[in-house]
Amino acid sequence: AALCGASPVERSSGKQQRRRLNRGGDRQANAALYRIVQSRLRWDPRTQAYLKRRISEGKTRREVIRCLKRYVAREIFSLLPRTELTPIGP
């Protein structure tokens, strides 16, 4: 999520505890995560149920989308092929 700029960063002031998305990272990957989340919100019943549940808990739609982007980033990362590092030299 940090590589895509979808990880949370503290942005609190006074009594209000907030987080925002990391502005660093690959912005194109972040945009791809956003498109995936939008597609899931439109067609996936599990994602729609998650949105309703989190909104009833007091989260805003924007905050829920941030959470979903992190979930998607974790899913995609687990699907990436692993390469083993081999030592160079004797």
Side-chain angles (χ1 to χ4, degrees):
L3 292 174
C4 297
S7 61
V9 175
E10 290 292 329
R11 192 190 101 199
S12 306
S13 71
K15 294 180 182 178
Q16 215 169 42
Q17 295 290 328
R18 289 192 180 206
R19 293 187 173 108
R20 68 166 177 80
L21 287 184
N22 184 355
R23 295 287 180 214
D26 188 348
R27 305 310 298 157
Q28 288 179 332
N30 192 344
L33 290 177
Y34 180 78
R35 283 188 213 104
I36 292 168
V37 168
Q38 291 301 312
S39 297
R40 285 186 178 190
L41 284 172
R42 183 171 290 166
W43 289 297
D44 185 26
R46 293 179 309 148
T47 307
Q48 293 166 356
Y50 178 83
L51 176 73
K52 288 179 187 174
R53 180 171 54 87
R54 294 297 291 231
I55 287 177
S56 69
E57 291 174 0
K59 299 280 187 192
T60 65
R61 183 178 175 91
R62 200 174 199 182
E63 290 171 328
V64 175
I65 288 174
R66 287 182 196 134
C67 294
L68 287 168
K69 284 166 72 173
R70 287 193 297 274
Y71 284 125
V72 170
R74 283 187 214 120
E75 275 185 54
I76 291 171
F77 184 77
S78 69
L79 296 174
L80 293 175
R82 302 283 187 259
T83 57
E84 293 189 29
L85 298 175
T86 57
I88 300 174

